[in-house]
Amino acid sequence: MIADDLYCDAVRITGGDPRRLALAARHAADADLEIWFSPFPCELSAEELPALLRRLR
C-alpha cells in the first residue's frame, strides 16, 4: 500500500523487536522501497546497539 497507493519510495521502520523490524524490512524490500531503520531499543545500552543492528541484516 505504501508503494502502490501512496507512491512512496522509502519507509522508516521503527520499533524495538529485532524480528519484527527485520520482517517489516523484508516486506518493504519486496516492494522495492528504500528502508530507513529507526530502532527504539530503550532497554539497550549504546554498547549493545551495534549488535542489534548487525542482527537486522
Side-chain angles (χ1 to χ4, degrees):
M1 177 177 176
I2 292 171
D4 296 332
D5 295 344
L6 298 176
Y7 306 106
C8 296
D9 59 2
V11 64
R12 182 173 70 175
I13 300 174
T14 63
D17 183 335
R19 289 175 291 217
R20 293 182 69 179
L21 290 169
L23 177 62
R26 279 193 293 278
H27 286 289
D30 289 344
D32 292 324
L33 292 169
E34 180 179 336
I35 301 161
W36 297 9
F37 278 110
S38 297
F40 287 101
C42 298
E43 73 281 358
L44 297 181
S45 69
E47 292 78 22
E48 295 170 310
L49 186 57
L52 168 69
L53 296 175
R54 283 191 295 276
R55 288 196 313 261
L56 294 176
R57 290 188 200 174

